[in-house]
Amino acid sequence: MDPYDGDENDYMPQEDDWDRDMLLDPAWEKQQRKTFTAWCNSHLRKAGTQIENIEEDFRDGLKLMLLLEVISGERLAKPERGKMRVHKISNVNKALHYITSKGVKLVSIGAEEIVDGNAKMTLGMIWTIILRFAIQDISVEETSAKEGLLLWCQRKTAPYKNVNIQNFHISWKDGLGFCALIHRHRPELIDYGKLRKDDPMTNLNTAFDVAEKYLDIPKMLDAEDIVGTARPDEKAIMTYVSSFYHAFSGAQKAETAANRICKVLAVNQENEQLMEDYEKLASDVSTLSLLCPPPLNVPAPPSLPPLCPISLHPSPPSSTSPEDCCSDSVETSPGHTTQDVSNAWGGLEGAEKGYEEWLLNEIRRLERLDHLAEKFRQKAATHEAWTEGKEEMLQARDFETASLSEIKALLKKHEAFESDLAAHQDRVEQIAAIAQELNELDYYDSPSVNSRCQRICDRWDALGALTQKRSEALQRTEKLLETIDQLYLEFAKRAAPFNNWMEGAMEDLQDTFIVHTIEEIQGLSTAHEQFKATLPDADKERGAILGIHNEIAKIVATYHVNMAGTNPYTTINPQDINAKWDKVRQLVPQRDQALIEEHARQQNNERLRRQFANQANVIGPWIQTKMEEIGRISIEMHGTLEDQLTHLRQYEKNIVNYKPKIDQLEGDHQLIQEALIFDNKHTNYTMEHIRVGWEQLLTTIARTINEIENQILTRDAKGISQDQMNEFRASFNHFDRKKTGMMEAEDFKTCLISLGYNMGEAEFSRIMSIVDPNRVGVVTFQAFIDFMSRETADTDTADQVMASFKVLAGDKNFIMADELRRELPPDQAEYCIARMAPYSGTDAVPGALDYMSFSTALYGESDL
C-alpha cells in the first residue's frame, strides 16, 4: 500500500516514505517533476499563469497560494507582496496552514525548505495537494482515494484484451491501459483493435496526444521515461490517471444511475423468489403435521451402548418461524395461510420438546463419561511416557567414576528431576481423582481404569524411594570428591613452585658458566654456597608435598573411591618430584668441583694480566714521549740542519735498541691469547696499540730524518742560507695551526698573504696545483721550501715582461685583444684587456692596446 494513502486524517506521513520511495531513483524524480508541473499548470492556467521550475516558482509562496485558491474555490489569506525572505516564508506558511486545515498532516515539511528551493520537500508538498484535492474524494463502490481510483480503472478496462490493471506503475508501461480508458468513454477517438502490446511507445504517445487534444488533459508524462524505467513512478501515474477520472466524471454519473436501477430490479426479483419459497415451505409444514401422530411423548428408548453417539433429528429446520415466511399482504393458497401454518407448527414443537429433553440429558451424561475416560487415558499415557526409563536412570551408578565437576552436574540434573517429580505429583493426584469419579458414575470399564491407576501409584512410590536414595549417594560422593579436590589443589599450589625451583636449580647447576675475572668466579662460588644452604628447607617442603599425596591415597583406599583420572590442577606427580630432587642432589658436588677448577684458572689469568700490564704501562708512555720529542726536533730550529740530523739519528739508534722489550711484551701477549683473556683492567694499552705506536715511531723518525736530508739538499741546490731556511721554518710552523707538519690550504693562503702575495682565487689555485699536485688539500714543509726557493730565485723585470708582450704581438708596438685571447689563458687574457689603455702611437689601428705602459705598471704592482 502506498504510504500516502489512508483515511481522511491519515494519508500523508510523507517525509520518510518520500525519501525512500522517490529520491532513491533519479528517474522517478524526473517523472514527478514533469507530471506535477503539468498538473499545477492545468489549474494555474485558469488564473492566467503557469510555472516553469517547480522548486523555484513556488519559493515566494504567491503561486502556491493561487494554486490552492483555484483547486479549492476558496479565498486564502491576503499574501505578502514583499521580496524579503520573511515575506516569502509568511506566504508559504499561509499555504501550509490552509493545507493543514483540510485535515492533512504535514510531517517535516516547513516553509523554510520550500523558500530555500528544497526539491524533495517541494515535490512532497505538491503530492500532498494532489492527493487531497484530486484523489481523496474519488469513491467507487464503497472504496475511496487510491483504492477507489484503482477499482475504477479495473472496472473500466476489464473488457479489454491485454489490459490487467493491478497497480499504478508497471500495469501502465505498455500504454494499453490509457488507451482502454479513452476508448471506453470515447471509442471514436482511438481504434483500439489496431494497438499492439509489443509497441508501448506508440500506445503511450497515442494516448497522451489524444488526451491532450480532445480531452483537455495536459501531457504530464513522457513515453520514453515510462518505457525506459523498470518501475515507473507510482505518484506520477496516479496524478495523470486521476485527470482521466475527473474528465470522465459525467460518464460516471450515468453509470451510477444505471447501477441504482439495477439494484431496485434486483430487490423486486428477490421478493418474487421469496414468495415461491414460502408456498413450498408452507406445504411441507402442513404435510409433516399430518404424518406425525400426536403426541410424541414416547417412553424412554432402551439403553444405548456406552459412548454411542446420539443424533437429534426433529422436524425440518426451524431457523425461520412461519411468520417470517410471508406478510399479510402476500396472497397464499387455501390452507396455507399464516394461521394454518402457525397452528401446525405449534403442535409439532410441543410433541418434540419432551423427547428432546430426554435425549439431551442422556447425551450429556454419556458425553461426560466419554470425556472423563478420554481425559484419564490421556493423562495416564502422558504420565507413563514420562516415567519410562526413570527407574533405570535413578539406579545408575554413573557417579562412582565421575569427576567433581561431573558430580556437581549430576546433582544439578538430579535437583531438576526432583523439581520435575514434584510437578508430576499433581498429575498423579488428578489421575486418581478421575478414576474415582468414573467409578461413582458407573463407567462400564471401571475395572480396567482402577487397575491402571493402581500401577501408576505403585510406580510413583517406587520412583520417590529411588530418588531419595540417589540424592544421598550423590551428596556423599560430592563431599568425598570435594575433599580430594581441595587436596589436589593444595598439592598443585605447592608442587608447581617447588617443581619450578628444582628445574631452575638443575638448569643453574648444569649451566656452563663463562667468567673472565677472579671476582666473577668468587661471586659464583658465593651464590652456590647460598644455594646449598637452602637444600634442607627444600627437602622439608618436598616431604610436605608428598604427604598431601599420601593423604589422598588414604582417602581413596578407605572409602573405596573410584578415581576417574589424575590431578586436574597439575601434571606433576610424586615420581617426578623425587626424580628431580635426586638429580639436584647429584649435580651439587659436580658443580662444586667445576667452580674449584675455574677458580684456579682465573688466578693464573690474573697473574698473566698483571705481568702484561706492568710492561705495557711502561712501553706505551715511552713510545708517546719519543713521538713528542721527535716532533719537537722537526719543528724547533735549534742548530743547523746537520745538527738536527745528527740528533735524530741518535734518537733512531736508541729506539732500535728498545726493540727487545717490545718482543718480550709480544711473548706475554701470546700467553694471554692462549689463555683466552679478552680484557685487562690493569692497563689501557693493548698489544695492538703498542704495535701501532711502535710502527708509527719508526715511521716518524725515518720520515723526519728523510725530510731533514731533503731540506739540506734543497738548501744546497737552491743556495738558500741557513737564515732563510730558519725563516721558512718559522713561517711554516706559525701557520701550521694543528701542528701536524702540514699546512691546510686556507692556512697556506694566509701564509702567502702575510709574505706579501696579492692574488685572486685563480692564481691561488695555480699555486696549489704546484705545491699540492695530488690535490690532497695540504702543503708539506718540503713543498713549501721548494715553492719559496723558486719564488725568491725567479723574479721577472718590467723589461722582460714588455719583451714577452712584444713577442706575442709579432714585434708590433701594440697588441690586439684577439692576440691576447689566443695566447693567454682566458682569465689572464681578460685581466690584461680590462687594464690595458688604448694605444695612441702614429702606427695605431682601431682596437690596439698599449702593452708597454701596462708592463711598467704591472712591474710596479709586483714590487709593491
Side-chain angles (χ1 to χ4, degrees):
M1 180 178 177
D2 191 278
Y4 302 100
D5 293 341
D7 58 29
E8 180 177 352
N9 295 321
D10 189 15
Y11 63 89
M12 196 56 191
Q14 79 281 359
E15 177 61 25
D16 293 338
D17 293 327
W18 191 270
D19 219 2
R20 180 177 65 252
D21 295 343
M22 179 185 74
L23 294 184
L24 288 179
D25 191 344
W28 291 5
E29 181 179 352
K30 178 183 177 183
Q31 293 175 21
Q32 289 180 4
R33 284 177 182 272
K34 180 176 180 63
T35 302
F36 292 178
T37 301
W39 184 87
C40 293
N41 286 334
S42 69
H43 294 283
L44 289 173
R45 67 185 178 184
K46 299 174 185 177
T49 185
Q50 65 177 11
I51 62 171
E52 298 295 334
N53 188 311
I54 196 166
E55 65 263 29
E56 290 294 328
D57 294 346
F58 285 135
R59 291 180 62 182
D60 60 3
L62 296 176
K63 289 187 178 180
L64 179 59
M65 296 179 68
L66 182 60
L67 174 65
L68 291 172
E69 289 181 348
V70 171
I71 62 179
S72 67
E74 300 177 10
R75 295 290 296 177
L76 273 68
K78 183 179 180 180
E80 301 284 346
R81 293 297 177 179
K83 299 297 183 180
M84 297 177 64
R85 176 179 174 84
V86 65
H87 299 141
K88 297 178 181 179
I89 292 176
S90 176
N91 291 338
V92 175
N93 272 327
K94 291 176 181 178
L96 296 181
H97 289 329
Y98 177 80
I99 297 172
T100 305
S101 69
K102 296 302 180 181
V104 180
K105 295 181 179 178
L106 295 175
V107 180
S108 298
I109 295 181
E112 291 79 7
E113 286 82 2
I114 305 301
V115 172
D116 292 337
N118 188 313
K120 180 181 73 172
M121 295 301 178
T122 303
L123 292 173
M125 178 189 67
I126 297 302
W127 171 243
T128 303
I129 296 172
I130 293 171
L131 193 63
R132 172 61 183 85
F133 294 100
I135 297 176
Q136 182 183 348
D137 294 333
I138 295 175
S139 178
V140 179
E141 296 183 15
E142 298 181 356
T143 61
S144 61
K146 177 182 177 181
E147 287 79 11
L149 182 61
L150 182 62
L151 182 59
W152 178 78
C153 295
Q154 291 171 342
R155 293 286 185 269
K156 295 299 181 182
T157 61
Y160 290 85
K161 181 182 178 181
N162 293 329
V163 179
N164 182 19
I165 303 302
Q166 299 297 327
N167 49 56
F168 287 106
H169 38 83
I170 60 175
S171 294
W172 303 86
K173 283 193 67 173
D174 57 10
L176 293 177
F178 296 113
C179 294
L181 287 177
I182 297 173
H183 187 268
R184 178 64 181 269
H185 297 90
R186 299 286 299 277
E188 75 277 8
L189 298 180
I190 291 181
D191 188 355
Y192 189 86
K194 293 183 179 180
L195 300 176
R196 302 199 320 272
K197 186 176 180 64
D198 59 353
D199 190 8
M201 292 292 294
T202 299
N203 300 338
L204 291 167
N205 285 322
T206 298
F208 296 162
D209 294 338
V210 169
E212 186 175 30
K213 184 175 181 181
Y214 297 100
L215 303 177
D216 198 27
I217 298 175
K219 188 176 182 181
M220 302 182 184
L221 301 170
D222 286 330
E224 293 81 5
D225 294 339
I226 296 177
V227 174
T229 306
R231 185 177 185 271
D233 180 62
E234 185 179 56
K235 298 171 180 59
I237 299 292
M238 284 179 63
T239 302
Y240 189 55
V241 171
S242 69
S243 298
F244 283 87
Y245 175 89
H246 293 293
F248 297 137
S249 60
Q252 181 69 24
K253 292 178 182 178
E255 184 177 350
T256 302
N259 289 338
R260 184 176 294 110
I261 294 172
C262 290
K263 286 182 180 179
V264 173
L265 294 176
V267 171
N268 189 61
Q269 291 173 341
E270 183 180 2
N271 289 337
E272 292 179 355
Q273 183 64 40
L274 287 173
M275 293 174 65
E276 293 178 3
D277 293 342
Y278 172 79
E279 287 292 334
K280 183 177 182 304
L281 288 172
S283 177
D284 291 344
V285 169
S286 298
T287 302
L288 181 61
S289 64
L290 295 175
L291 293 176
C292 293
L296 290 178
N297 296 329
V298 296
S303 299
L304 298 175
L307 304 179
C308 177
I310 298 176
S311 299
L312 180 60
H313 297 289
S315 55
S318 58
S319 59
T320 304
S321 65
E323 289 80 359
D324 295 334
C325 295
C326 69
S327 63
D328 294 338
S329 63
V330 180
E331 296 183 1
T332 60
S333 302
H336 291 171
T337 65
T338 56
Q339 185 61 42
D340 296 335
V341 173
S342 295
N343 293 338
W345 189 259
L348 286 173
E349 287 181 340
E352 177 193 28
K353 186 175 182 181
Y355 190 58
E356 182 181 7
E357 289 179 356
W358 180 86
L359 286 175
L360 289 174
N361 291 332
E362 187 64 17
I363 288 172
R364 291 190 187 99
R365 188 184 72 85
L366 294 177
E367 285 179 346
R368 174 65 177 166
L369 284 173
D370 186 52
H371 172 71
L372 288 173
E374 181 61 27
K375 188 174 182 181
F376 176 83
R377 285 191 294 272
Q378 288 180 357
K379 287 184 175 294
T382 301
H383 179 75
E384 288 168 349
W386 179 81
T387 57
E388 188 67 31
K390 294 294 188 294
E391 293 181 0
E392 291 78 3
M393 183 268 292
L394 293 171
Q395 292 174 350
R397 310 294 294 177
D398 49 352
F399 57 84
E400 292 180 348
T401 58
S403 63
L404 179 59
S405 59
E406 292 170 341
I407 285 292
K408 290 184 179 296
L410 288 174
L411 271 170
K412 293 291 184 184
K413 182 178 179 182
H414 189 70
E415 290 172 1
F417 174 76
E418 288 178 331
S419 299
D420 196 14
L421 187 70
H424 278 73
Q425 177 70 33
D426 291 340
R427 180 178 289 120
V428 175
E429 293 175 355
Q430 291 172 7
I431 291 171
I434 294 171
Q436 180 66 27
E437 188 173 358
L438 288 172
N439 287 325
E440 293 174 354
L441 294 176
D442 296 328
Y443 181 56
Y444 79 98
D445 199 17
S446 291
S448 175
V449 170
N450 293 335
S451 175
R452 191 173 186 182
C453 181
Q454 186 61 44
R455 288 196 304 272
I456 289 173
C457 292
D458 294 342
R459 194 171 188 182
W460 180 255
D461 294 338
L463 285 177
L466 290 174
T467 299
Q468 181 63 27
K469 184 178 179 181
R470 181 173 176 82
S471 178
E472 293 173 355
L474 288 173
Q475 291 174 3
R476 182 174 59 253
T477 305
E478 181 189 27
K479 290 181 180 179
L480 286 174
L481 290 181
E482 283 181 344
T483 301
I484 293 174
D485 187 73
Q486 289 295 326
L487 292 173
Y488 270 151
L489 181 60
E490 181 67 20
F491 179 88
K493 287 181 177 179
R494 299 182 68 171
F498 185 72
N499 182 70
N500 291 338
W501 177 83
M502 289 193 296
E503 289 179 348
M506 287 190 292
E507 291 178 2
D508 293 341
L509 292 171
Q510 297 179 89
D511 186 23
T512 301
F513 51 80
I514 299 176
V515 295
H516 302 95
T517 64
I518 189 68
E519 291 81 3
E520 291 179 0
I521 192 62
Q522 288 173 348
L524 288 176
S525 299
T526 301
H528 183 63
E529 292 300 323
Q530 293 174 350
F531 167 74
K532 289 195 295 183
T534 63
L535 292 177
D537 292 337
D539 193 27
K540 291 180 182 179
E541 178 64 13
R542 181 180 67 89
I545 294 171
L546 296 178
I548 296 173
H549 179 76
N550 295 335
E551 187 175 353
I552 295 172
K554 182 179 179 181
I555 293 174
V556 171
T558 302
Y559 296 98
H560 306 289
V561 179
N562 188 0
M563 298 303 296
T566 58
N567 191 331
Y569 300 108
T570 182
T571 57
I572 303 170
N573 56 54
Q575 292 78 17
D576 294 337
I577 292 175
N578 287 330
K580 291 178 181 178
W581 176 255
D582 293 339
K583 182 66 175 178
V584 170
R585 297 296 299 272
Q586 179 184 354
L587 290 173
V588 168
Q590 296 177 7
R591 185 72 167 189
D592 289 337
Q593 183 61 33
L595 289 172
I596 292 172
E597 293 174 356
E598 182 62 26
H599 190 270
R601 190 174 74 84
Q602 288 301 325
Q603 285 180 329
N604 183 60
N605 289 350
E606 183 66 13
R607 182 184 58 80
L608 292 176
R609 286 191 188 94
R610 292 183 180 278
Q611 181 175 322
F612 176 86
N614 292 336
Q615 297 185 69
N617 288 338
V618 174
I619 295 174
W622 181 86
I623 292 175
Q624 184 65 28
T625 301
K626 294 303 178 182
M627 288 285 290
E628 294 173 356
E629 291 176 353
I630 293 171
R632 285 197 298 271
I633 293 173
S634 64
I635 293 174
E636 295 174 355
M637 298 172 290
H638 298 299
T640 63
L641 292 176
E642 285 77 3
D643 294 338
Q644 294 178 23
L645 182 61
T646 301
H647 195 186
L648 287 171
R649 282 176 175 168
Q650 183 61 40
Y651 260 83
E652 183 181 26
K653 181 178 179 181
N654 294 336
I655 289 170
V656 171
N657 291 336
Y658 203 78
K659 184 65 167 62
K661 293 186 178 181
I662 302 296
D663 295 338
Q664 182 180 356
L665 189 62
E666 285 282 5
D668 293 341
H669 177 67
Q670 182 65 29
L671 294 175
I672 286 177
Q673 285 188 319
E674 292 173 355
L676 300 178
I677 300 172
F678 302 106
D679 60 347
N680 193 338
K681 67 178 181 179
H682 304 295
T683 181
N684 293 325
Y685 294 100
T686 65
M687 195 63 224
E688 186 62 27
H689 292 154
I690 299 297
R691 290 188 190 121
V692 171
W694 178 254
E695 292 298 328
Q696 288 179 346
L697 180 61
L698 295 177
T699 302
T700 301
I701 190 64
R703 185 183 70 247
T704 304
I705 291 173
N706 185 56
E707 289 177 353
I708 297 298
E709 290 175 342
N710 289 334
Q711 292 174 21
I712 293 173
L713 293 175
T714 301
R715 183 198 62 189
D716 296 340
K718 299 291 183 177
I720 301 173
S721 65
Q722 184 63 41
D723 292 337
Q724 286 179 313
M725 184 62 72
N726 292 339
E727 183 181 352
F728 292 156
R729 167 58 72 180
S731 297
F732 186 88
N733 290 343
H734 177 76
F735 290 99
D736 179 13
R737 292 183 298 107
K738 295 184 179 180
K739 306 305 178 184
T740 59
M742 294 178 287
M743 276 194 295
E744 294 182 355
E746 288 299 321
D747 296 335
F748 177 59
K749 183 176 182 181
T750 305
C751 179
L752 292 179
I753 293 173
S754 70
L755 294 175
Y757 284 83
N758 186 8
M759 60 201 158
E761 289 297 328
E763 178 65 13
F764 179 70
S765 298
R766 182 187 67 81
I767 295 173
M768 281 299 296
S769 65
I770 296 172
V771 298
D772 183 22
N774 296 326
R775 299 185 181 276
V776 178
V778 295
V779 179
T780 64
F781 182 64
Q782 185 62 42
F784 180 73
I785 294 174
D786 293 341
F787 173 76
M788 294 304 297
S789 61
R790 199 165 44 245
E791 286 295 309
T792 55
D794 187 16
T795 303
D796 296 322
T797 64
D799 293 339
Q800 291 173 331
V801 173
M802 195 178 304
S804 297
F805 273 118
K806 192 170 185 177
V807 171
L808 296 180
D811 254 357
K812 298 192 298 289
N813 293 324
F814 58 86
I815 190 168
M816 305 299 293
D818 291 340
E819 291 172 334
L820 289 171
R821 291 190 179 99
R822 183 176 60 249
E823 300 297 339
L824 295 178
D827 55 340
Q828 295 178 355
E830 296 301 327
Y831 178 85
C832 294
I833 293 169
R835 286 165 174 73
M836 284 185 182
Y839 180 69
S840 57
T842 57
D843 55 346
V845 297
L849 299 175
D850 187 357
Y851 63 79
M852 296 181 182
S853 59
F854 175 75
S855 298
T856 303
L858 184 64
Y859 182 77
E861 290 177 4
S862 297
D863 288 343
L864 179 61

